[in-house]
Amino acid sequence: MAVKNMKPFVLFAYLLILIGITVSDDLFCNFETDLCGFTHDSSVNGNWRRMYGTGHNLNPFFLNDYPHTDHTYGNNTGYYMFYKKVSRNQQAARIISPYISPISTNNYTVCVQFWYYMEGTVGDLRVRVRTNPSDLLGTPLWSLSGNRGGIWHAAQVQIQENTTRTYQVVFEGDSTSRSSYGFYDSISIDDVTIRKSYCQDTDGDIEIANVSCSFETLDNCGYRQDQSDDFNWRSRRGATDTRYTGPSQDHTFGTELGRYMYIETSQYQLIEGHKARLISPVWTITEPEQCVEFWYHMYGSDTGALSLFIRSAGGAMPADPVVRIVGHHMDVWLRHVYLMNRTGDFELVFEAMCGSGIYGDISLDDVRIYDGPCANNTVEPAVVAIDFLKAGCNFEFDDICNYTQDIADVFDWRRNTGRTPSSNTGPTNDHTYTTSVGHYMYIEASRPRREGDKARLLTQIINNNNTDICISFHYHMYGRGIDFLKIYKKDVGGGLPLDPIYVKHGNQRNVWRLEKVDIKGQTENFQIVFEGTVGNTAYGDIAIDDIEFHAVACGKENLDDVVDFFACDFEGNSSSLCNFEQSQMDNFDWELRNGSTHSLETGPSADHTYGNSKGQYIYIEASDPRRPGERAQLTSPPIDPSTDHVLCLQFWYHMKGEHVGSLKVFRYFYTEGYHQRLMNIEGEQGDRWIEALIPINYDVNNGFIEERIKILLTGVIGKGHLGDIAIDDVSITSHHCFPSGESTTVTELSCDFESGLSQCGFKQSVSDVFDWTFLNASADSQDIANFSTATEGQTNFIYLDMARRGRGDVANIATPTILPNITNRCLTFKYFMKGDAQQQLNVYILGVSGLNDFVGSVSLKNSSQWKTSQFDISVKQDDQQIMFEGVVGFAPRGFIALDDITVKFGTCVRGNIKATIRPTPSSLPSASSNQEKNATTDNDDDDDDDENLDIVSKLFISFTLILLFMILLSVAILVVRRRFVKKSRQAKDEQQFPYSTNQNISADLAVDNPAYEVSILSNLS
């Protein structure tokens, strides 16, 4: 063949051979960083693609056909090779290994091991060998067709070398033998190993096969429990018993059906340091360089250590292990290898040691021994640092945000709720929720702890992208034995620094305190370490909570985005959250969505804003990999509450599905850093959008809130995948909190309440103290006794019963929305009032801006009949509602009733008089009035007003006269008493002393000074 006629790929391959470029004897490729020297065959027009779990660069039409996780790490960040036929004319796709050089002796065995995934109804996966790019491939050495269940499977192919020439291994995916386009095909491979040894379970490797084990058989391949340890290993399928620790599937098959060995740290009364040992059958080594390979899973905040010992058969345990792996290593299966260079009879001993708590399950799978050298060294995932904004933790979840205990300290931090076990030390509540239900981390200073013992808690590995950041946290240090709380910044791969970045010592009183620490920007990954030290008494518990990372230096938080009202319908671009932020202290995120959710029988089919499949909303997806109890939290911008009017949070929610969890709304106090729950809705609520209204800056017991706040919308996963929760049309409005209902709008209004309270679209406020009530005189006979006079004139009306209410309590009710018009309107209504003179009936206009304009007030008229009032409603340029406000007086008695409310075009019929003085409502203070004067007409005679005024005046004058009379009477009594006392003293003195006849002595002096009189008498004698 002439060189000029060669295809470019073939020519390039020959050049490689000529210059002697071949691979090393063994090859292992998990495709995590590159193709490891594998190349595509350009002689066919199909291609393998290097993908990671979520099918990021695939047409969405194919998204159901690819693996959602790789095999190496079992998550959606790991890579694999993927093939799919996408057109009728597409041929097979081939990926070809680097050239493999044979050894000098012919007929040597090579083992090719790999994992494959095949989903769909058609398709072939083949393994071939070729020695020359121009040669025909011939019969495949291994072939498989059809659907294999959409899970990862292991395979191995024995290659018998019978040539001295270099060769290549070819993986071929093919759909050309079928008529289908291949839309339902999916073929993937991962974790390819090519090594110079027999494949497992072959005659040439029988002794090694007895020690190698995937733990799929009931006898566990002859592995046995050590009788001298503290507890035993277990065989397991699927997830372990405890959440947030242990694998969810085995490594061999990557499914819940495969088995593995593990230790369960929650089922025993285990103590930190307890050990379980698993011993292999005898392993006879006749030649050096045998490789031990195993896969381990160590996930959980309390994970201890896994060690591998190699001991002589039947001998004593060696002092030191040949492999020791410590602590939390993420929720993935990891591979480790050890090269054995001795000969003789040996046993493998796998020793698992308990950590400090129940989140410390350790698992083992796929132990293999083969002729060395080992294929590559230990395969560990690259250190993945999380973004610093996601590194915070409030410790409300069992996984404690993947924070880990330091295995090199003396004892561990504990997660706790409520009080600590010791009195006179530690907090009584957490800081996040300030309740006994919330969680925090603390060190327990009582026995068996000793002075100076240290416990260290490490965050996840963090990268701050060369940005100055601020760490904020709350600490509690109460007790006479409190020692040190220190914080260190530890670089990954380095030891604990000598100097901490923060130190606090001694008793700081029984309160949670906020602290902030600056971290300078750097490119290297690091962890934050919290170290607590035990003091000289048991009264030394130290607690921490609510750790947060901020993207600015401490004290430089940007407050420009503080708001007091907003509206968000989640429309617009694909990432529109209207300044809401995904929390970094939850388990997963809310997602934008239009149309139906992924799962049937749950979630909405349309948004609320437009009511169609094109409008957007946000929701939580309850399907795999979500677990019960996991949370997604959305955080509003900072809100600056007003102290003179109510701010109302309004949103619509959808909770359909038999597994729906809960939707919670919290108020987060920005400065103090604690949460207060405002709403909790649990379980299925039907296939409908439901409105929620919450006053966010007003508390019935404490009045208006002055501190800056945030609103947290939290969705919690229920017990299954049919539990999607959606939210739409979130807004904060000012001054009123009325439900929108089915949003009727009118230009005129007439309501006689004959069909009930909701007949005309009236709405109760949710930001007042109590509600208006509908009364039907014929049906509600039990209430007629209290309103017998009122029911004589009207049969159906709304009323407020003032009995058992508090002074100043308020009830508000509003009309439907009234459209703007260029002419005035007249408001007319009937009312009936009895009770305390200070009770009020006030009328306001509510505009779309949220401001309240005062219209007028009706004073108390204790009479035996209904009365009619009218108010002119001036021209408005926007929609508006009319609100009636009833206010309880000094004495909780009587009632206010309303009926026959109308709004008609034109001014009121009778002339204008000056409006009454504007009152000050208790729970809904209005903004400055835009109307200094309002026209009002009362169909009652003006004598009614004068009559009420005369009654009040007469009462006041009577009270004043009685008070004046009592004062004068008291003064007269005092004067008479003084004179009586004086005369009584004089008479008594005359009887006691014989006064002198000396005319020079004053009688008054003698009376006023008896001592002087006695002295004179003595001289006379």
Side-chain angles (χ1 to χ4, degrees):
M1 179 183 296
V3 171
K4 66 179 181 180
N5 294 326
M6 290 185 181
K7 293 183 179 180
F9 177 81
V10 177
L11 179 59
F12 179 69
Y14 272 117
L15 291 175
L16 287 177
I17 297 173
L18 291 174
I19 62 177
I21 298 178
T22 62
V23 299
S24 60
D25 290 345
D26 294 308
L27 170 70
F28 175 79
C29 188
N30 56 14
F31 305 106
E32 293 303 318
T33 56
D34 54 31
L35 299 184
C36 312
F38 279 81
T39 57
H40 294 286
D41 187 348
S42 61
S43 65
V44 291
N45 62 8
N47 273 319
W48 288 84
R49 299 183 183 183
R50 179 172 169 266
M51 307 285 295
Y52 62 82
T54 54
H56 62 289
N57 55 352
L58 280 181
N59 187 313
F61 185 80
F62 305 139
L63 292 184
N64 292 326
D65 304 327
Y66 64 89
H68 287 256
T69 63
D70 75 328
H71 177 263
T72 309
Y73 301 134
N75 60 34
N76 61 8
T77 63
Y79 283 84
Y80 54 89
M81 297 302 295
F82 173 85
Y83 164 76
K84 172 181 281 292
K85 181 180 180 180
V86 295
S87 69
R88 184 181 298 276
N89 297 323
Q90 181 176 306
Q91 299 172 338
R94 301 188 188 110
I95 185 171
I96 305 170
S97 75
Y99 280 92
I100 301 170
S101 58
I103 62 170
S104 57
T105 305
N106 289 340
N107 299 321
Y108 194 84
T109 296
V110 173
C111 185
V112 179
Q113 296 177 322
F114 60 96
W115 290 81
Y116 66 89
Y117 179 104
M118 298 178 69
E119 176 88 27
T121 58
V122 294
D124 301 301
L125 175 62
R126 309 183 187 103
V127 179
R128 303 176 185 268
V129 172
R130 75 175 187 184
T131 57
N132 189 320
S134 63
D135 292 345
L136 295 176
L137 291 175
T139 303
L141 299 178
W142 182 93
S143 179
L144 197 63
S145 300
N147 190 333
R148 297 295 159 174
I151 61 176
W152 288 100
H153 297 274
Q156 57 187 9
V157 181
Q158 198 82 53
I159 299 177
Q160 193 74 22
E161 291 184 351
N162 54 10
T163 177
T164 58
R165 299 172 61 183
T166 57
Y167 60 92
Q168 296 171 291
V169 176
V170 180
F171 290 91
E172 181 180 68
D174 187 12
S175 290
T176 57
S177 61
R178 307 291 193 270
S179 60
S180 168
Y181 281 92
F183 286 164
Y184 305 103
D185 295 347
S186 174
I187 301 175
S188 303
I189 59 173
D190 199 4
D191 293 336
V192 178
T193 301
I194 302 174
R195 59 172 176 252
K196 297 291 183 65
S197 68
Y198 285 99
C199 291
Q200 294 181 30
D201 300 322
T202 64
D203 293 338
D205 199 23
I206 188 167
E207 292 297 324
I208 297 177
N210 287 340
V211 182
S212 299
C213 190
S214 61
F215 302 105
E216 298 300 328
T217 60
L218 295 178
D219 65 353
N220 294 322
C221 313
Y223 279 70
R224 67 187 190 276
Q225 306 285 351
D226 189 351
Q227 301 303 311
S228 63
D229 56 7
D230 302 301
F231 65 109
N232 288 338
W233 288 77
R234 293 179 173 188
S235 176
R236 182 78 182 189
R237 283 194 179 110
T240 62
D241 295 329
T242 309
R243 294 169 56 194
Y244 306 116
T245 187
S248 58
Q249 56 192 17
D250 79 325
H251 176 264
T252 310
F253 300 112
T255 71
E256 295 181 354
L257 300 178
R259 290 184 176 273
Y260 58 89
M261 301 297 292
Y262 87 110
I263 63 165
E264 175 59 62
T265 56
S266 65
Q267 298 299 315
Y268 299 92
Q269 297 297 319
L270 297 176
I271 299 174
E272 182 177 358
H274 274 189
K275 298 178 177 66
R277 286 187 285 269
L278 188 68
I279 306 172
S280 75
V282 174
W283 170 26
T284 301
I285 307 176
T286 58
E287 296 183 4
E289 289 201 347
Q290 294 277 302
C291 186
V292 180
E293 175 189 278
F294 62 92
W295 291 80
Y296 66 94
H297 190 284
M298 298 174 67
Y299 165 56
S301 58
D302 302 324
T303 303
L306 174 65
S307 301
L308 170 62
F309 295 86
I310 297 181
R311 73 178 186 184
S312 299
M317 284 287 292
D320 299 312
V322 296
V323 175
R324 181 174 171 81
I325 306 167
V326 176
H328 168 76
H329 281 67
M330 301 186 298
D331 188 11
V332 294
W333 282 100
L334 302 174
R335 174 177 176 263
H336 200 99
V337 294
Y338 172 74
L339 184 63
M340 182 69 172
N341 286 309
R342 293 181 290 172
T343 59
D345 293 336
F346 299 95
E347 294 170 320
L348 304 180
V349 181
F350 290 94
E351 179 185 85
M353 183 179 71
C354 285
S356 59
I358 65 173
Y359 305 108
D361 296 351
I362 298 174
S363 304
L364 175 72
D365 202 2
D366 292 332
V367 179
R368 295 186 178 96
I369 299 175
Y370 53 85
D371 294 335
C374 296
N376 283 12
N377 291 322
T378 301
V379 178
E380 293 278 4
V383 173
V384 179
I386 65 170
D387 185 271
F388 65 89
L389 291 174
K390 298 181 180 180
C393 194
N394 59 13
F395 306 109
E396 295 305 320
F397 305 104
D398 293 342
D399 65 350
I400 61 172
C401 312
N402 287 323
Y403 284 26
T404 54
Q405 308 281 359
D406 189 348
I407 200 71
D409 56 8
V410 179
F411 69 112
D412 287 340
W413 289 78
R414 298 183 183 181
R415 181 170 173 262
N416 195 49
T417 60
R419 296 179 179 273
T420 61
S422 305
S423 59
N424 299 318
T425 186
T428 57
N429 297 315
D430 78 323
H431 178 265
T432 309
Y433 301 118
T434 64
T435 68
S436 60
V437 178
H439 295 79
Y440 58 89
M441 299 295 289
Y442 86 107
I443 63 167
E444 175 58 56
S446 57
R447 291 183 180 180
R449 301 279 66 86
R450 297 183 178 182
E451 182 178 0
D453 285 355
K454 292 179 173 59
R456 287 186 285 270
L457 185 70
L458 288 73
T459 67
Q460 295 189 69
I461 297 173
I462 302 169
N463 190 296
N464 64 357
N465 302 315
N466 209 25
T467 302
D468 292 347
I469 65 175
C470 177
I471 305 172
S472 65
F473 63 96
H474 286 78
Y475 68 88
H476 190 284
M477 300 173 66
Y478 166 58
R480 67 174 186 266
I482 293 290
D483 203 76
F484 282 97
L485 172 65
K486 298 180 181 180
I487 299 178
Y488 297 87
K489 184 178 73 68
K490 173 184 174 294
D491 292 332
V492 173
L496 195 69
L498 294 177
D499 298 322
I501 59 176
Y502 174 84
V503 177
K504 182 66 69 174
H505 179 263
N507 187 352
Q508 305 297 317
R509 301 172 62 187
N510 189 16
V511 293
W512 283 100
R513 298 184 181 276
L514 173 66
E515 193 62 79
K516 299 180 179 180
V517 182
D518 279 308
I519 299 290
K520 295 297 183 182
Q522 66 179 56
T523 57
E524 296 81 10
N525 297 332
F526 63 91
Q527 292 174 285
I528 299 299
V529 183
F530 293 86
E531 181 185 81
T533 305
V534 175
N536 57 6
T537 73
Y539 306 107
D541 297 349
I542 298 173
I544 57 174
D545 201 0
D546 291 333
I547 301 167
E548 295 187 49
F549 291 77
H550 309 276
V552 293
C554 297
K556 297 183 179 180
E557 294 85 354
N558 182 15
L559 300 180
D560 293 339
D561 57 352
V562 173
V563 298
D564 59 1
F565 64 89
F566 62 82
C568 183
D569 57 13
F570 303 107
E571 306 298 334
N573 61 58
S574 59
S575 60
S576 175
L577 291 178
C578 309
N579 294 323
F580 278 86
E581 294 181 352
Q582 304 280 6
S583 173
Q584 307 302 327
M585 301 174 71
D586 52 8
N587 302 103
F588 64 107
D589 287 341
W590 290 83
E591 302 177 29
L592 274 171
R593 182 77 182 177
N594 64 304
S596 300
T597 62
H598 293 297
S599 304
L600 298 176
E601 305 300 328
T602 188
S605 58
D607 78 325
H608 175 263
T609 310
Y610 300 118
N612 59 37
S613 60
K614 295 183 179 179
Q616 296 189 139
Y617 55 88
I618 60 170
Y619 86 111
I620 61 170
E621 174 60 56
S623 303
D624 187 70
R626 301 278 66 86
R627 294 185 178 184
E630 291 186 339
R631 303 184 183 191
Q633 193 167 80
L634 204 64
T635 304
S636 76
I639 300 168
D640 197 7
S642 172
T643 57
D644 64 354
H645 61 267
V646 167
L647 296 179
C648 181
L649 171 68
Q650 178 189 46
F651 65 93
W652 294 80
Y653 62 89
H654 190 285
M655 299 172 68
K656 172 194 174 185
E658 61 178 299
H659 302 145
V660 167
S662 61
L663 175 63
K664 305 175 189 292
V665 179
F666 294 94
R667 175 167 53 203
Y668 174 79
F669 291 87
Y670 198 80
T671 303
E672 296 298 325
Y674 70 92
H675 300 69
Q676 185 179 43
R677 191 170 72 186
L678 301 177
M679 186 187 82
N680 181 34
I681 302 172
E682 298 182 346
E684 181 175 14
Q685 304 296 317
D687 189 9
R688 56 178 179 154
W689 286 99
I690 304 173
E691 185 179 29
L693 292 150
I694 308 170
I696 59 174
N697 71 326
Y698 184 81
D699 184 88
V700 174
N701 297 320
N702 301 313
F704 285 103
I705 295 169
E706 300 180 4
E707 184 181 347
R708 181 174 291 120
I709 59 176
K710 291 182 181 180
I711 298 300
L712 310 180
L713 304 174
T714 305
V716 183
I717 296 295
K719 60 183 179 180
H721 72 284
L722 300 179
D724 298 348
I725 299 175
I727 290 176
D728 201 2
D729 293 330
V730 182
S731 65
I732 290 181
T733 57
S734 178
H735 288 274
H736 57 88
C737 212
F738 287 97
S740 59
E742 292 302 319
S743 189
T744 57
T745 56
V746 297
T747 55
E748 293 187 323
L749 174 69
S750 179
C751 185
D752 57 11
F753 300 109
E754 294 304 312
S755 299
L757 176 62
S758 61
Q759 168 205 6
C760 312
F762 278 68
K763 302 174 182 68
Q764 306 272 11
S765 172
V766 298
S767 56
D768 53 7
V769 179
F770 66 116
D771 285 340
W772 291 79
T773 304
F774 170 73
L775 186 141
N776 183 305
S778 59
D780 299 333
S781 58
Q782 68 276 13
D783 290 330
I784 292 179
N786 296 329
F787 306 101
S788 58
T789 306
T791 56
E792 292 175 2
Q794 305 291 122
T795 56
N796 297 285
F797 53 87
I798 61 173
Y799 72 94
L800 295 176
D801 188 353
M802 303 303 188
R804 296 180 299 278
R805 304 257 43 113
R807 172 182 173 182
D809 283 357
V810 173
N812 300 310
I813 193 168
T815 67
T817 301
I818 301 173
L819 295 175
N821 198 277
I822 60 174
T823 62
N824 286 356
R825 293 182 176 89
C826 179
L827 167 67
T828 304
F829 59 91
K830 291 183 178 180
Y831 68 94
F832 201 126
M833 299 175 66
K834 278 188 176 293
D836 187 82
Q838 297 301 316
Q839 72 182 23
Q840 300 172 6
L841 175 60
N842 305 316
V843 182
Y844 295 86
I845 291 177
L846 308 180
V848 293
S849 63
L851 297 179
N852 301 339
D853 288 338
F854 175 67
V855 175
S857 180
V858 178
S859 60
L860 173 69
K861 299 185 187 304
N862 281 303
S863 64
S864 59
Q865 61 182 347
W866 287 81
K867 300 183 182 298
T868 302
S869 268
Q870 293 180 319
F871 293 98
D872 279 321
I873 306 299
S874 61
V875 175
K876 286 287 183 179
Q877 300 302 317
D878 57 6
D879 296 348
Q880 58 192 17
Q881 293 174 281
I882 296 173
M883 183 182 79
F884 293 88
E885 177 187 68
V887 183
V888 179
F890 290 117
R893 58 187 174 84
F895 64 88
I896 300 175
L898 281 175
D899 200 0
D900 294 341
I901 300 171
T902 63
V903 178
K904 302 293 183 181
F905 287 125
T907 58
C908 296
V909 176
R910 298 182 61 181
N912 296 335
I913 63 173
K914 188 174 181 179
T916 56
I917 298 174
R918 177 181 175 179
T920 303
S922 301
S923 73
L924 272 178
S926 62
S928 298
S929 175
N930 294 327
Q931 297 173 264
E932 296 182 359
K933 292 184 179 181
N934 295 281
T936 179
T937 302
D938 198 324
N939 290 341
D940 300 306
D941 293 333
D942 293 339
D943 293 340
D944 290 333
D945 291 329
D946 296 337
E947 178 185 349
N948 283 320
L949 180 60
D950 290 342
I951 294 173
V952 175
S953 300
K954 290 175 182 178
L955 289 173
F956 177 75
I957 293 171
S958 299
F959 176 76
T960 303
L961 291 174
I962 293 172
L963 181 62
L964 182 60
F965 173 76
M966 295 300 293
I967 293 174
L968 293 174
L969 181 62
S970 299
V971 171
I973 292 173
L974 289 174
V975 170
V976 172
R977 181 178 182 280
R978 178 176 179 81
R979 290 180 178 179
F980 176 77
V981 170
K982 185 173 181 179
K983 289 181 179 181
S984 297
R985 285 181 178 177
Q986 289 177 349
K988 182 177 180 181
D989 292 339
E990 289 175 358
Q991 294 176 1
Q992 183 175 359
F993 302 105
Y995 289 101
S996 171
T997 57
N998 188 340
Q999 299 296 320
N1000 295 323
I1001 300 176
S1002 169
D1004 291 337
L1005 177 61
V1007 171
D1008 292 338
N1009 194 348
Y1012 180 80
E1013 174 65 22
V1014 171
S1015 178
I1016 296 297
L1017 294 175
S1018 175
N1019 292 334
L1020 292 175
S1021 61

